[in-house]
Amino acid sequence: MTAASRWCARIVLTGVLPIVCLALLLAALHGATWGWVVAACGLLLVVLLQTRRLALLAAWIDGPQQGEVPDSGGAWGEVFRKLSRKLRLDARALAEVEARLGSFRDAMDAVPDGLVVLSESHQVQWANRAAGEHLGIRLPRDGGAIIQQLVRAPGFAEYLSSPAGQPPFVLLSPAVRRRAYSLRAVPLGERNTLLVSLDVTDARRVEAMRSTFVANVSHELRTPLTVVSGFLEHFGDDSAMSAEQRQQFVRLMSEQTRRMLSLVDDLLTLSRLEADDAPASEEDIDMADLLAQLQAEAEGLSGGRHRLQFRCGGPGLRGNRHELHSAFGNLVSNAIRYTPAGGDIRVRWKLRAGVGVFSVRDSGVGIAAEHLPRLTERFYRIDRGRSRDTGGTGLGLAIVKHILLRHQAALVVDSQPGAGSNFRAEFPEWRLRPQPSPDLPAADEA
């Protein structure tokens, strides 16, 4: 017996059967006429009651209120209660689905790659926030628009018509800072297409930097190799070369060989620093002892041509002594190389506002503001000829930057043309040691 049959039986038993029984009783007592009258009136009353309950049901379905079930007894009351429970369950399920959909949309908006769902005719059905940044798609404004009308780039329509087997389509943004996006179309279901956009600007920039780096290395090595090769050709003919010329050629070849060795050593050092995020070992460094060593090296490099002043008035430092010695030595040697004879160079280690500061101030030629952001780039030189004359490889400040990054320190440069430069390496407080190192003699503040 089906549920509908059971409900019909309940309505008959609760509504019609009592009337029929009453009509039969009156017909037996007072005649058939009274029985038919009572039966007709009773059935009319049942029809009116059922009609009223149907009207209540229709009105309640149009705007059901939680917890407000129409007051109707019997089988109809149970129908209302079942409908109310079913509506509550459906509303709860719908709320859960909407919450999951909202979470899914938030997750898709958090994805850094652009995602666009296209219909079979390439109409935009949905897009995440990154797609708006990459392709300029804005919903609901662009909902239903043809993607080729929004992304106007030569070759994009042809790629979208047959993306299978093709490499990703590269789109260049016309923004002020040009961005590059890699677009890939993949099937989504039977008829839809998912268009994925990936920002490849940084990857292309890294590739360009790699190419530039290789070109710079080749250029830096070509000059000394050309010199050495040219001199070796002269050595093939002993009769055409005097002893004085031979010694001069040997000296020049030795200089160029040392330059190549220095360049290779710096390249290996830079490669090792970039490969590791942290120093292999650390120790507590006596900064007074390190500055004394730097002072001795600076005096040998300067040869008495500059007035050197070193002062240590700060605490000890936790780090890799060999790396920090290399970084500080680079800063000091740069100051000596680019400061004319008779200039002042002041080196100081001090504590300032909880930060350990190693500073090298010189009275050299100074640096123009447009060069400051690029000083730590590999092979970047303000004056290529002057840098080669002083023996620089163009990698010193790049090495300094990586060593400081490995020690969570920052390099700050203040300089003006004709007013000298001040290079500061600033170390966080947690790398400092509470015991102050003894001051060195000769102490003018840097």
Side-chain angles (χ1 to χ4, degrees), residues 394-424:
L395 298 173
L397 288 179
I399 292 174
V400 170
K401 180 188 73 171
H402 281 85
I403 291 176
L404 295 183
L405 287 175
R406 287 156 63 90
H407 288 81
Q408 296 76 45
L411 179 64
V412 182
V413 183
D414 297 320
S415 184
Q416 292 182 0
S421 305
N422 184 20
F423 285 76
R424 301 194 309 275

Side-chain angles (χ1 to χ4, degrees), residues 141-411:
R141 182 196 68 185
D142 296 328
I146 304 297
I147 187 66
Q148 292 92 327
Q149 298 176 352
L150 302 176
V151 181
R152 297 181 179 274
F156 176 67
E158 291 76 5
Y159 166 77
L160 203 59
S161 62
S162 57
Q166 294 191 38
F169 181 82
V170 177
L171 173 68
L172 296 179
S173 171
V176 176
R177 294 183 60 189
R178 296 184 67 85
R179 309 292 297 179
Y181 303 102
S182 174
L183 306 184
R184 182 182 293 275
V186 295
L188 182 65
E190 295 182 356
R191 297 185 176 182
N192 293 341
T193 301
L194 179 64
L195 183 65
V196 183
S197 63
L198 175 65
D199 191 338
V200 295
T201 307
D202 293 337
R204 289 168 68 92
R205 185 179 296 121
V206 168
E207 179 63 23
M209 290 175 60
R210 185 195 66 80
S211 300
T212 303
F213 176 71
V214 172
N216 285 333
V217 171
S218 302
H219 178 74
E220 294 292 336
L221 289 175
R222 181 184 299 275
T223 300
L225 285 174
T226 301
V227 173
V228 173
S229 176
F231 287 154
L232 286 176
E233 292 178 0
H234 288 281
F235 276 97
D237 186 4
D238 292 339
S239 61
M241 184 183 305
S242 64
E244 184 180 354
Q245 287 179 324
R246 182 185 297 273
Q247 291 178 356
Q248 182 183 4
F249 287 172
V250 169
R251 179 179 58 81
L252 292 175
M253 285 191 295
S254 297
E255 291 178 357
Q256 296 299 327
T257 302
R258 285 194 297 271
R259 174 173 172 75
M260 285 189 291
L261 290 175
S262 177
L263 178 60
V264 172
D265 288 341
D266 283 351
L267 285 172
L268 292 175
T269 299
L270 189 58
S271 176
R272 177 179 57 82
L273 293 173
E274 291 178 339
D276 298 327
D277 294 331
S281 62
E282 294 186 356
E283 59 183 294
D284 291 343
I285 302 172
D286 184 345
M287 290 299 292
D289 179 67
L290 180 56
L291 259 69
Q293 186 176 357
L294 291 172
Q295 183 174 0
E297 295 170 356
E299 290 172 351
L301 182 62
S302 174
R305 294 179 294 109
H306 307 89
R307 291 184 294 272
L308 304 177
Q309 300 173 353
F310 282 72
R311 178 180 176 81
C312 179
L317 180 64
R318 180 74 178 177
N320 184 286
R321 182 185 176 96
H322 175 74
E323 292 185 5
L324 291 176
H325 182 195
S326 175
F328 296 160
N330 260 301
L331 296 179
V332 175
S333 63
N334 281 347
I336 294 173
R337 287 190 177 99
Y338 299 115
T339 300
D344 294 320
I345 297 174
R346 292 180 292 176
V347 180
R348 185 181 181 189
W349 167 254
K350 63 182 178 180
L351 179 65
R352 185 179 67 185
V355 176
V357 180
F358 177 85
S359 62
V360 180
R361 183 187 296 273
D362 64 62
S363 60
V365 295
I367 305 170
E370 63 267 21
H371 297 295
L372 295 180
R374 302 188 60 187
L375 282 180
T376 58
E377 292 182 13
R378 293 172 292 189
F379 295 111
Y380 183 79
R381 292 188 176 96
I382 301 172
D383 186 339
R384 290 185 175 271
R386 185 182 67 178
S387 179
R388 290 195 180 95
D389 292 340
T390 58
T393 63
L395 298 173
L397 288 179
I399 292 174
V400 170
K401 180 188 73 171
H402 281 85
I403 291 176
L404 295 183
L405 287 175
R406 287 156 63 90
H407 288 81
Q408 296 76 45
L411 179 64

